[in-house]
């Protein structure tokens, strides 16, 4: 329920690196996108194609779809 900037600021204060914070925020963003698209009937293949077309890197995409105990 906190603002993104507040969370980022708090994480920086406890020693997180900016790149790690950004990666994790992006991970959550992409994961929510994927879950939303799957729930509306898009195939995994179409979602991956769309993410790649938008410039998301394979490591991010693969981590979403290969996450253990996922509901994807």
């Amino acid at each position: 329920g906190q603002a993104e900037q507040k969370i980022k600021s708090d994480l920086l204060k406890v020693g997180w690196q900016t790149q790690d914070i950004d990666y994790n925020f992006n991970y959550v963003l992409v994961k929510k996108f994927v879950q939303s698209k799957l729930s509306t009937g898009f195939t995994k293949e179409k979602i991956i194609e769309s993410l790649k077309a938008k410039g998301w890197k394979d490591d991010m995409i693969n981590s979403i779809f290969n996450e253990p105990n996922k509901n994807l």
Side-chain angles (χ1 to χ4, degrees):
Q2 294 186 25
E4 182 178 321
Q5 194 54 45
K6 169 77 168 115
I7 295 169
K8 287 181 177 184
S9 174
D10 289 347
L11 290 171
L12 285 169
K13 287 178 187 174
V14 296
W16 280 54
Q17 299 297 311
T18 301
Q19 66 190 28
D20 294 331
I21 296 169
D22 291 341
Y23 179 88
N24 284 288
F25 268 86
N26 286 333
Y27 181 89
V28 171
L29 179 71
V30 173
K31 184 173 180 176
K32 286 182 178 184
F33 171 80
V34 168
Q35 290 172 331
S36 169
K37 293 302 176 189
L38 286 171
S39 72
T40 59
F42 284 85
T43 64
K44 174 182 173 181
E45 292 74 21
K46 283 289 185 189
I47 297 168
I48 290 171
E49 181 182 315
S50 174
L51 290 170
K52 286 183 178 187
K54 298 286 185 188
W56 290 102
K57 296 187 179 189
D58 287 340
D59 68 323
M60 175 70 73
I61 296 169
N62 292 335
S63 68
I64 297 288
F65 283 101
N66 296 322
E67 183 180 78
N69 300 316
K70 63 191 179 312
N71 292 322
L72 303 177

